[in-house]
Amino acid sequence: MSGYPPPPETIRGRVAWIFGDDFDVDLIIGVENIKYYDADFLRGVTMQAYDPEFVDKVEPGDVIVGGRNFGYGHPHYPPLVALRNLGVSAVIADSFSPGFWRGETYNGMPLITAPGISEHVSRWDPVEVDWRRARVTLPTTGTTLEGTPPSERVTKIIEAGGSLRLLLAEHRR
């Protein structure tokens, strides 16, 4: 079974992109591409409308930041599959659309709600994320933002690499 490894205790990276409020994640790859899962295809379309060089700049451990209601719209998986395949390790936002939050939590992506995050960062700022505590530290300014930590169950899902992996592990016992 394929999947993504769980994130480290502290994610260290940079802010690879900052999206505004009510952002529909389908736009990351283009609405016309939401049915594709092939990594090579997705690499060719990821962020083309925003920064055609994004795929060459992003590094493992980088995060993306969103405003309020990040993930608004239909919760399709390929946009975040594309970002994960490039190394994006977490999404930090002021708040998340409930459908997006459920879907990406199911897939094991750390989603950290940190009110005010989009007002405190610039692109490529270094960031340290303690995802279990929902603590975001910005080393350049010394600012620390405290969000709402994930529940015990959500923590287990992320540690397992997604809900399916957790359920399989629990039912093997």
PDB file of all heavy atoms in Angstrom, residues 72-109:
ATOM      1  N   TYR A  72     -11.827  25.713   0.338  1.00  0.00           N
ATOM      2  CA  TYR A  72     -13.218  25.955  -0.053  1.00  0.00           C
ATOM      3  C   TYR A  72     -13.500  25.282  -1.392  1.00  0.00           C
ATOM      4  O   TYR A  72     -12.663  25.250  -2.279  1.00  0.00           O
ATOM      5  CB  TYR A  72     -13.436  27.467  -0.167  1.00  0.00           C
ATOM      6  CG  TYR A  72     -14.742  27.858  -0.783  1.00  0.00           C
ATOM      7  CD1 TYR A  72     -15.912  27.846  -0.037  1.00  0.00           C
ATOM      8  CD2 TYR A  72     -14.808  28.231  -2.117  1.00  0.00           C
ATOM      9  CE1 TYR A  72     -17.121  28.209  -0.609  1.00  0.00           C
ATOM     10  CE2 TYR A  72     -16.009  28.597  -2.703  1.00  0.00           C
ATOM     11  CZ  TYR A  72     -17.157  28.578  -1.937  1.00  0.00           C
ATOM     12  OH  TYR A  72     -18.343  28.932  -2.502  1.00  0.00           O
ATOM     13  N   GLY A  73     -14.686  24.738  -1.557  1.00  0.00           N
ATOM     14  CA  GLY A  73     -15.074  24.088  -2.802  1.00  0.00           C
ATOM     15  C   GLY A  73     -15.168  22.589  -2.598  1.00  0.00           C
ATOM     16  O   GLY A  73     -15.297  22.096  -1.482  1.00  0.00           O
ATOM     17  N   HIS A  74     -15.076  21.856  -3.673  1.00  0.00           N
ATOM     18  CA  HIS A  74     -15.128  20.395  -3.599  1.00  0.00           C
ATOM     19  C   HIS A  74     -13.769  19.875  -3.132  1.00  0.00           C
ATOM     20  O   HIS A  74     -12.743  20.282  -3.667  1.00  0.00           O
ATOM     21  CB  HIS A  74     -15.467  19.806  -4.969  1.00  0.00           C
ATOM     22  CG  HIS A  74     -16.836  20.161  -5.411  1.00  0.00           C
ATOM     23  ND1 HIS A  74     -17.105  21.284  -6.164  1.00  0.00           N
ATOM     24  CD2 HIS A  74     -18.019  19.552  -5.195  1.00  0.00           C
ATOM     25  CE1 HIS A  74     -18.391  21.354  -6.400  1.00  0.00           C
ATOM     26  NE2 HIS A  74     -18.982  20.319  -5.824  1.00  0.00           N
ATOM     27  N   PRO A  75     -13.753  18.961  -2.182  1.00  0.00           N
ATOM     28  CA  PRO A  75     -12.471  18.466  -1.653  1.00  0.00           C
ATOM     29  C   PRO A  75     -11.861  17.370  -2.536  1.00  0.00           C
ATOM     30  O   PRO A  75     -11.966  16.192  -2.250  1.00  0.00           O
ATOM     31  CB  PRO A  75     -12.860  17.940  -0.272  1.00  0.00           C
ATOM     32  CG  PRO A  75     -14.292  17.531  -0.413  1.00  0.00           C
ATOM     33  CD  PRO A  75     -14.893  18.474  -1.420  1.00  0.00           C
ATOM     34  N   HIS A  76     -11.230  17.764  -3.631  1.00  0.00           N
ATOM     35  CA  HIS A  76     -10.545  16.810  -4.496  1.00  0.00           C
ATOM     36  C   HIS A  76      -9.129  16.576  -3.971  1.00  0.00           C
ATOM     37  O   HIS A  76      -8.491  17.494  -3.476  1.00  0.00           O
ATOM     38  CB  HIS A  76     -10.491  17.337  -5.933  1.00  0.00           C
ATOM     39  CG  HIS A  76     -11.849  17.492  -6.544  1.00  0.00           C
ATOM     40  ND1 HIS A  76     -12.343  18.716  -6.906  1.00  0.00           N
ATOM     41  CD2 HIS A  76     -12.813  16.584  -6.827  1.00  0.00           C
ATOM     42  CE1 HIS A  76     -13.561  18.557  -7.409  1.00  0.00           C
ATOM     43  NE2 HIS A  76     -13.874  17.278  -7.356  1.00  0.00           N
ATOM     44  N   TYR A  77      -8.639  15.354  -4.119  1.00  0.00           N
ATOM     45  CA  TYR A  77      -7.336  14.993  -3.561  1.00  0.00           C
ATOM     46  C   TYR A  77      -6.125  15.330  -4.432  1.00  0.00           C
ATOM     47  O   TYR A  77      -5.059  15.603  -3.895  1.00  0.00           O
ATOM     48  CB  TYR A  77      -7.312  13.509  -3.211  1.00  0.00           C
ATOM     49  CG  TYR A  77      -8.344  13.135  -2.180  1.00  0.00           C
ATOM     50  CD1 TYR A  77      -9.210  12.073  -2.392  1.00  0.00           C
ATOM     51  CD2 TYR A  77      -8.461  13.855  -0.997  1.00  0.00           C
ATOM     52  CE1 TYR A  77     -10.164  11.732  -1.442  1.00  0.00           C
ATOM     53  CE2 TYR A  77      -9.420  13.527  -0.054  1.00  0.00           C
ATOM     54  CZ  TYR A  77     -10.260  12.460  -0.277  1.00  0.00           C
ATOM     55  OH  TYR A  77     -11.202  12.135   0.656  1.00  0.00           O
ATOM     56  N   PRO A  78      -6.200  15.299  -5.756  1.00  0.00           N
ATOM     57  CA  PRO A  78      -4.988  15.514  -6.563  1.00  0.00           C
ATOM     58  C   PRO A  78      -4.198  16.792  -6.273  1.00  0.00           C
ATOM     59  O   PRO A  78      -2.968  16.749  -6.339  1.00  0.00           O
ATOM     60  CB  PRO A  78      -5.510  15.473  -8.004  1.00  0.00           C
ATOM     61  CG  PRO A  78      -6.658  14.509  -7.918  1.00  0.00           C
ATOM     62  CD  PRO A  78      -7.327  14.853  -6.602  1.00  0.00           C
ATOM     63  N   PRO A  79      -4.815  17.935  -5.951  1.00  0.00           N
ATOM     64  CA  PRO A  79      -3.984  19.112  -5.679  1.00  0.00           C
ATOM     65  C   PRO A  79      -3.000  18.896  -4.521  1.00  0.00           C
ATOM     66  O   PRO A  79      -1.825  19.264  -4.617  1.00  0.00           O
ATOM     67  CB  PRO A  79      -5.002  20.207  -5.348  1.00  0.00           C
ATOM     68  CG  PRO A  79      -6.241  19.786  -6.078  1.00  0.00           C
ATOM     69  CD  PRO A  79      -6.256  18.292  -5.975  1.00  0.00           C
ATOM     70  N   LEU A  80      -3.446  18.271  -3.444  1.00  0.00           N
ATOM     71  CA  LEU A  80      -2.545  18.035  -2.319  1.00  0.00           C
ATOM     72  C   LEU A  80      -1.629  16.854  -2.582  1.00  0.00           C
ATOM     73  O   LEU A  80      -0.507  16.818  -2.083  1.00  0.00           O
ATOM     74  CB  LEU A  80      -3.320  17.865  -1.015  1.00  0.00           C
ATOM     75  CG  LEU A  80      -3.533  19.165  -0.225  1.00  0.00           C
ATOM     76  CD1 LEU A  80      -2.275  19.643   0.442  1.00  0.00           C
ATOM     77  CD2 LEU A  80      -4.160  20.279  -1.015  1.00  0.00           C
ATOM     78  N   VAL A  81      -2.076  15.903  -3.392  1.00  0.00           N
ATOM     79  CA  VAL A  81      -1.182  14.826  -3.826  1.00  0.00           C
ATOM     80  C   VAL A  81       0.002  15.456  -4.564  1.00  0.00           C
ATOM     81  O   VAL A  81       1.162  15.119  -4.324  1.00  0.00           O
ATOM     82  CB  VAL A  81      -1.927  13.809  -4.730  1.00  0.00           C
ATOM     83  CG1 VAL A  81      -0.949  12.868  -5.423  1.00  0.00           C
ATOM     84  CG2 VAL A  81      -2.940  13.020  -3.915  1.00  0.00           C
ATOM     85  N   ALA A  82      -0.286  16.399  -5.443  1.00  0.00           N
ATOM     86  CA  ALA A  82       0.768  17.081  -6.196  1.00  0.00           C
ATOM     87  C   ALA A  82       1.735  17.800  -5.261  1.00  0.00           C
ATOM     88  O   ALA A  82       2.956  17.682  -5.403  1.00  0.00           O
ATOM     89  CB  ALA A  82       0.147  18.072  -7.186  1.00  0.00           C
ATOM     90  N   LEU A  83       1.206  18.544  -4.298  1.00  0.00           N
ATOM     91  CA  LEU A  83       2.075  19.279  -3.371  1.00  0.00           C
ATOM     92  C   LEU A  83       2.894  18.327  -2.511  1.00  0.00           C
ATOM     93  O   LEU A  83       4.091  18.551  -2.283  1.00  0.00           O
ATOM     94  CB  LEU A  83       1.246  20.220  -2.501  1.00  0.00           C
ATOM     95  CG  LEU A  83       0.632  21.417  -3.230  1.00  0.00           C
ATOM     96  CD1 LEU A  83      -0.211  22.245  -2.280  1.00  0.00           C
ATOM     97  CD2 LEU A  83       1.701  22.280  -3.891  1.00  0.00           C
ATOM     98  N   ARG A  84       2.280  17.251  -2.037  1.00  0.00           N
ATOM     99  CA  ARG A  84       3.023  16.278  -1.225  1.00  0.00           C
ATOM    100  C   ARG A  84       4.142  15.634  -2.020  1.00  0.00           C
ATOM    101  O   ARG A  84       5.229  15.399  -1.497  1.00  0.00           O
ATOM    102  CB  ARG A  84       2.089  15.211  -0.691  1.00  0.00           C
ATOM    103  CG  ARG A  84       1.272  15.698   0.458  1.00  0.00           C
ATOM    104  CD  ARG A  84       0.456  14.573   0.972  1.00  0.00           C
ATOM    105  NE  ARG A  84       0.964  14.218   2.276  1.00  0.00           N
ATOM    106  CZ  ARG A  84       0.288  13.524   3.156  1.00  0.00           C
ATOM    107  NH1 ARG A  84      -0.900  13.065   2.853  1.00  0.00           N
ATOM    108  NH2 ARG A  84       0.792  13.257   4.330  1.00  0.00           N
ATOM    109  N   ASN A  85       3.872  15.313  -3.280  1.00  0.00           N
ATOM    110  CA  ASN A  85       4.904  14.705  -4.113  1.00  0.00           C
ATOM    111  C   ASN A  85       6.088  15.644  -4.330  1.00  0.00           C
ATOM    112  O   ASN A  85       7.185  15.194  -4.623  1.00  0.00           O
ATOM    113  CB  ASN A  85       4.330  14.253  -5.455  1.00  0.00           C
ATOM    114  CG  ASN A  85       3.458  13.025  -5.320  1.00  0.00           C
ATOM    115  OD1 ASN A  85       3.554  12.271  -4.355  1.00  0.00           O
ATOM    116  ND2 ASN A  85       2.594  12.808  -6.296  1.00  0.00           N
ATOM    117  N   LEU A  86       5.860  16.936  -4.172  1.00  0.00           N
ATOM    118  CA  LEU A  86       6.937  17.924  -4.278  1.00  0.00           C
ATOM    119  C   LEU A  86       7.644  18.156  -2.946  1.00  0.00           C
ATOM    120  O   LEU A  86       8.648  18.840  -2.898  1.00  0.00           O
ATOM    121  CB  LEU A  86       6.388  19.250  -4.798  1.00  0.00           C
ATOM    122  CG  LEU A  86       5.858  19.231  -6.226  1.00  0.00           C
ATOM    123  CD1 LEU A  86       5.159  20.544  -6.548  1.00  0.00           C
ATOM    124  CD2 LEU A  86       6.983  18.955  -7.212  1.00  0.00           C
ATOM    125  N   GLY A  87       7.100  17.611  -1.864  1.00  0.00           N
ATOM    126  CA  GLY A  87       7.748  17.751  -0.566  1.00  0.00           C
ATOM    127  C   GLY A  87       7.025  18.615   0.445  1.00  0.00           C
ATOM    128  O   GLY A  87       7.500  18.783   1.567  1.00  0.00           O
ATOM    129  N   VAL A  88       5.880  19.199   0.065  1.00  0.00           N
ATOM    130  CA  VAL A  88       5.129  20.015   1.021  1.00  0.00           C
ATOM    131  C   VAL A  88       4.684  19.123   2.178  1.00  0.00           C
ATOM    132  O   VAL A  88       4.089  18.065   1.967  1.00  0.00           O
ATOM    133  CB  VAL A  88       3.931  20.714   0.343  1.00  0.00           C
ATOM    134  CG1 VAL A  88       3.020  21.368   1.370  1.00  0.00           C
ATOM    135  CG2 VAL A  88       4.437  21.750  -0.658  1.00  0.00           C
ATOM    136  N   SER A  89       5.004  19.547   3.410  1.00  0.00           N
ATOM    137  CA  SER A  89       4.794  18.702   4.585  1.00  0.00           C
ATOM    138  C   SER A  89       3.587  19.064   5.433  1.00  0.00           C
ATOM    139  O   SER A  89       3.189  18.277   6.287  1.00  0.00           O
ATOM    140  CB  SER A  89       6.034  18.758   5.473  1.00  0.00           C
ATOM    141  OG  SER A  89       7.135  18.227   4.794  1.00  0.00           O
ATOM    142  N   ALA A  90       3.033  20.249   5.246  1.00  0.00           N
ATOM    143  CA  ALA A  90       1.892  20.670   6.068  1.00  0.00           C
ATOM    144  C   ALA A  90       1.222  21.869   5.414  1.00  0.00           C
ATOM    145  O   ALA A  90       1.811  22.557   4.578  1.00  0.00           O
ATOM    146  CB  ALA A  90       2.339  21.031   7.481  1.00  0.00           C
ATOM    147  N   VAL A  91      -0.015  22.091   5.838  1.00  0.00           N
ATOM    148  CA  VAL A  91      -0.745  23.290   5.453  1.00  0.00           C
ATOM    149  C   VAL A  91      -1.102  24.009   6.747  1.00  0.00           C
ATOM    150  O   VAL A  91      -1.634  23.402   7.677  1.00  0.00           O
ATOM    151  CB  VAL A  91      -2.036  22.967   4.663  1.00  0.00           C
ATOM    152  CG1 VAL A  91      -2.766  24.252   4.289  1.00  0.00           C
ATOM    153  CG2 VAL A  91      -1.726  22.136   3.424  1.00  0.00           C
ATOM    154  N   ILE A  92      -0.791  25.291   6.800  1.00  0.00           N
ATOM    155  CA  ILE A  92      -1.115  26.122   7.953  1.00  0.00           C
ATOM    156  C   ILE A  92      -2.079  27.195   7.456  1.00  0.00           C
ATOM    157  O   ILE A  92      -1.795  27.854   6.454  1.00  0.00           O
ATOM    158  CB  ILE A  92       0.143  26.802   8.533  1.00  0.00           C
ATOM    159  CG1 ILE A  92       1.239  25.769   8.791  1.00  0.00           C
ATOM    160  CG2 ILE A  92      -0.202  27.563   9.809  1.00  0.00           C
ATOM    161  CD1 ILE A  92       2.608  26.392   8.989  1.00  0.00           C
ATOM    162  N   ALA A  93      -3.199  27.356   8.128  1.00  0.00           N
ATOM    163  CA  ALA A  93      -4.177  28.347   7.671  1.00  0.00           C
ATOM    164  C   ALA A  93      -4.889  28.971   8.860  1.00  0.00           C
ATOM    165  O   ALA A  93      -4.877  28.436   9.970  1.00  0.00           O
ATOM    166  CB  ALA A  93      -5.192  27.690   6.732  1.00  0.00           C
ATOM    167  N   ASP A  94      -5.519  30.107   8.585  1.00  0.00           N
ATOM    168  CA  ASP A  94      -6.341  30.751   9.612  1.00  0.00           C
ATOM    169  C   ASP A  94      -7.499  29.833   9.983  1.00  0.00           C
ATOM    170  O   ASP A  94      -7.861  29.718  11.139  1.00  0.00           O
ATOM    171  CB  ASP A  94      -6.876  32.091   9.109  1.00  0.00           C
ATOM    172  CG  ASP A  94      -5.775  33.123   8.908  1.00  0.00           C
ATOM    173  OD1 ASP A  94      -4.839  33.177   9.724  1.00  0.00           O
ATOM    174  OD2 ASP A  94      -5.858  33.883   7.927  1.00  0.00           O
ATOM    175  N   SER A  95      -8.091  29.172   8.970  1.00  0.00           N
ATOM    176  CA  SER A  95      -9.133  28.170   9.187  1.00  0.00           C
ATOM    177  C   SER A  95      -9.269  27.350   7.911  1.00  0.00           C
ATOM    178  O   SER A  95      -8.789  27.748   6.846  1.00  0.00           O
ATOM    179  CB  SER A  95     -10.468  28.824   9.561  1.00  0.00           C
ATOM    180  OG  SER A  95     -10.968  29.610   8.489  1.00  0.00           O
ATOM    181  N   PHE A  96      -9.921  26.188   8.031  1.00  0.00           N
ATOM    182  CA  PHE A  96     -10.081  25.272   6.907  1.00  0.00           C
ATOM    183  C   PHE A  96     -11.556  25.021   6.610  1.00  0.00           C
ATOM    184  O   PHE A  96     -12.373  24.985   7.527  1.00  0.00           O
ATOM    185  CB  PHE A  96      -9.421  23.917   7.223  1.00  0.00           C
ATOM    186  CG  PHE A  96      -7.933  23.989   7.333  1.00  0.00           C
ATOM    187  CD1 PHE A  96      -7.323  24.140   8.566  1.00  0.00           C
ATOM    188  CD2 PHE A  96      -7.134  23.913   6.197  1.00  0.00           C
ATOM    189  CE1 PHE A  96      -5.945  24.212   8.678  1.00  0.00           C
ATOM    190  CE2 PHE A  96      -5.754  23.990   6.292  1.00  0.00           C
ATOM    191  CZ  PHE A  96      -5.158  24.136   7.544  1.00  0.00           C
ATOM    192  N   SER A  97     -11.833  24.789   5.345  1.00  0.00           N
ATOM    193  CA  SER A  97     -13.154  24.321   4.947  1.00  0.00           C
ATOM    194  C   SER A  97     -13.338  22.930   5.555  1.00  0.00           C
ATOM    195  O   SER A  97     -12.424  22.105   5.496  1.00  0.00           O
ATOM    196  CB  SER A  97     -13.220  24.241   3.425  1.00  0.00           C
ATOM    197  OG  SER A  97     -14.294  23.444   3.018  1.00  0.00           O
ATOM    198  N   PRO A  98     -14.503  22.646   6.153  1.00  0.00           N
ATOM    199  CA  PRO A  98     -14.691  21.344   6.804  1.00  0.00           C
ATOM    200  C   PRO A  98     -14.477  20.142   5.887  1.00  0.00           C
ATOM    201  O   PRO A  98     -13.855  19.160   6.282  1.00  0.00           O
ATOM    202  CB  PRO A  98     -16.138  21.400   7.311  1.00  0.00           C
ATOM    203  CG  PRO A  98     -16.412  22.864   7.485  1.00  0.00           C
ATOM    204  CD  PRO A  98     -15.648  23.537   6.375  1.00  0.00           C
ATOM    205  N   GLY A  99     -14.947  20.202   4.649  1.00  0.00           N
ATOM    206  CA  GLY A  99     -14.765  19.081   3.727  1.00  0.00           C
ATOM    207  C   GLY A  99     -13.305  18.848   3.397  1.00  0.00           C
ATOM    208  O   GLY A  99     -12.823  17.711   3.352  1.00  0.00           O
ATOM    209  N   PHE A 100     -12.577  19.910   3.169  1.00  0.00           N
ATOM    210  CA  PHE A 100     -11.138  19.799   2.897  1.00  0.00           C
ATOM    211  C   PHE A 100     -10.418  19.231   4.108  1.00  0.00           C
ATOM    212  O   PHE A 100      -9.595  18.340   3.994  1.00  0.00           O
ATOM    213  CB  PHE A 100     -10.564  21.169   2.523  1.00  0.00           C
ATOM    214  CG  PHE A 100      -9.069  21.169   2.389  1.00  0.00           C
ATOM    215  CD1 PHE A 100      -8.471  20.725   1.220  1.00  0.00           C
ATOM    216  CD2 PHE A 100      -8.265  21.582   3.436  1.00  0.00           C
ATOM    217  CE1 PHE A 100      -7.086  20.704   1.094  1.00  0.00           C
ATOM    218  CE2 PHE A 100      -6.885  21.563   3.322  1.00  0.00           C
ATOM    219  CZ  PHE A 100      -6.303  21.129   2.148  1.00  0.00           C
ATOM    220  N   TRP A 101     -10.748  19.758   5.289  1.00  0.00           N
ATOM    221  CA  TRP A 101     -10.082  19.298   6.515  1.00  0.00           C
ATOM    222  C   TRP A 101     -10.283  17.804   6.705  1.00  0.00           C
ATOM    223  O   TRP A 101      -9.339  17.067   6.988  1.00  0.00           O
ATOM    224  CB  TRP A 101     -10.604  20.080   7.730  1.00  0.00           C
ATOM    225  CG  TRP A 101      -9.818  19.781   8.954  1.00  0.00           C
ATOM    226  CD1 TRP A 101      -8.703  20.437   9.398  1.00  0.00           C
ATOM    227  CD2 TRP A 101     -10.058  18.731   9.890  1.00  0.00           C
ATOM    228  NE1 TRP A 101      -8.245  19.838  10.543  1.00  0.00           N
ATOM    229  CE2 TRP A 101      -9.054  18.793  10.867  1.00  0.00           C
ATOM    230  CE3 TRP A 101     -11.034  17.739   9.996  1.00  0.00           C
ATOM    231  CZ2 TRP A 101      -9.000  17.913  11.932  1.00  0.00           C
ATOM    232  CZ3 TRP A 101     -10.971  16.849  11.049  1.00  0.00           C
ATOM    233  CH2 TRP A 101      -9.960  16.956  12.004  1.00  0.00           C
ATOM    234  N   ARG A 102     -11.517  17.334   6.534  1.00  0.00           N
ATOM    235  CA  ARG A 102     -11.788  15.897   6.698  1.00  0.00           C
ATOM    236  C   ARG A 102     -11.010  15.074   5.688  1.00  0.00           C
ATOM    237  O   ARG A 102     -10.384  14.068   6.019  1.00  0.00           O
ATOM    238  CB  ARG A 102     -13.288  15.606   6.562  1.00  0.00           C
ATOM    239  CG  ARG A 102     -14.067  15.837   7.830  1.00  0.00           C
ATOM    240  CD  ARG A 102     -15.501  15.319   7.723  1.00  0.00           C
ATOM    241  NE  ARG A 102     -16.247  15.821   6.588  1.00  0.00           N
ATOM    242  CZ  ARG A 102     -16.851  17.001   6.528  1.00  0.00           C
ATOM    243  NH1 ARG A 102     -16.811  17.803   7.577  1.00  0.00           N
ATOM    244  NH2 ARG A 102     -17.507  17.376   5.462  1.00  0.00           N
ATOM    245  N   GLY A 103     -11.052  15.474   4.431  1.00  0.00           N
ATOM    246  CA  GLY A 103     -10.398  14.709   3.378  1.00  0.00           C
ATOM    247  C   GLY A 103      -8.898  14.639   3.525  1.00  0.00           C
ATOM    248  O   GLY A 103      -8.290  13.574   3.401  1.00  0.00           O
ATOM    249  N   GLU A 104      -8.271  15.750   3.805  1.00  0.00           N
ATOM    250  CA  GLU A 104      -6.809  15.752   3.916  1.00  0.00           C
ATOM    251  C   GLU A 104      -6.330  15.168   5.236  1.00  0.00           C
ATOM    252  O   GLU A 104      -5.257  14.588   5.300  1.00  0.00           O
ATOM    253  CB  GLU A 104      -6.239  17.140   3.668  1.00  0.00           C
ATOM    254  CG  GLU A 104      -6.320  17.542   2.211  1.00  0.00           C
ATOM    255  CD  GLU A 104      -5.738  16.516   1.251  1.00  0.00           C
ATOM    256  OE1 GLU A 104      -4.685  15.919   1.540  1.00  0.00           O
ATOM    257  OE2 GLU A 104      -6.352  16.298   0.191  1.00  0.00           O
ATOM    258  N   THR A 105      -7.124  15.293   6.287  1.00  0.00           N
ATOM    259  CA  THR A 105      -6.784  14.601   7.526  1.00  0.00           C
ATOM    260  C   THR A 105      -6.845  13.101   7.275  1.00  0.00           C
ATOM    261  O   THR A 105      -5.955  12.355   7.704  1.00  0.00           O
ATOM    262  CB  THR A 105      -7.730  15.017   8.670  1.00  0.00           C
ATOM    263  OG1 THR A 105      -7.546  16.412   8.922  1.00  0.00           O
ATOM    264  CG2 THR A 105      -7.444  14.235   9.938  1.00  0.00           C
ATOM    265  N   TYR A 106      -7.855  12.640   6.565  1.00  0.00           N
ATOM    266  CA  TYR A 106      -7.977  11.236   6.204  1.00  0.00           C
ATOM    267  C   TYR A 106      -6.708  10.748   5.496  1.00  0.00           C
ATOM    268  O   TYR A 106      -6.248   9.627   5.703  1.00  0.00           O
ATOM    269  CB  TYR A 106      -9.191  11.030   5.295  1.00  0.00           C
ATOM    270  CG  TYR A 106      -9.280   9.650   4.708  1.00  0.00           C
ATOM    271  CD1 TYR A 106      -9.913   8.620   5.397  1.00  0.00           C
ATOM    272  CD2 TYR A 106      -8.727   9.363   3.463  1.00  0.00           C
ATOM    273  CE1 TYR A 106      -9.988   7.337   4.873  1.00  0.00           C
ATOM    274  CE2 TYR A 106      -8.800   8.090   2.929  1.00  0.00           C
ATOM    275  CZ  TYR A 106      -9.425   7.071   3.638  1.00  0.00           C
ATOM    276  OH  TYR A 106      -9.478   5.812   3.113  1.00  0.00           O
ATOM    277  N   ASN A 107      -6.117  11.602   4.669  1.00  0.00           N
ATOM    278  CA  ASN A 107      -4.906  11.254   3.928  1.00  0.00           C
ATOM    279  C   ASN A 107      -3.626  11.441   4.751  1.00  0.00           C
ATOM    280  O   ASN A 107      -2.535  11.168   4.253  1.00  0.00           O
ATOM    281  CB  ASN A 107      -4.820  12.070   2.645  1.00  0.00           C
ATOM    282  CG  ASN A 107      -5.828  11.603   1.619  1.00  0.00           C
ATOM    283  OD1 ASN A 107      -6.107  10.408   1.524  1.00  0.00           O
ATOM    284  ND2 ASN A 107      -6.385  12.531   0.870  1.00  0.00           N
ATOM    285  N   GLY A 108      -3.757  11.937   5.969  1.00  0.00           N
ATOM    286  CA  GLY A 108      -2.593  12.059   6.841  1.00  0.00           C
ATOM    287  C   GLY A 108      -1.801  13.342   6.707  1.00  0.00           C
ATOM    288  O   GLY A 108      -0.680  13.432   7.197  1.00  0.00           O
ATOM    289  N   MET A 109      -2.361  14.350   6.066  1.00  0.00           N
ATOM    290  CA  MET A 109      -1.661  15.633   5.930  1.00  0.00           C
ATOM    291  C   MET A 109      -1.871  16.466   7.184  1.00  0.00           C
ATOM    292  O   MET A 109      -3.015  16.690   7.578  1.00  0.00           O
ATOM    293  CB  MET A 109      -2.188  16.404   4.716  1.00  0.00           C
ATOM    294  CG  MET A 109      -1.638  17.813   4.578  1.00  0.00           C
ATOM    295  SD  MET A 109       0.131  17.929   4.308  1.00  0.00           S
ATOM    296  CE  MET A 109       0.205  17.981   2.533  1.00  0.00           C
TER     297      MET A 109
END
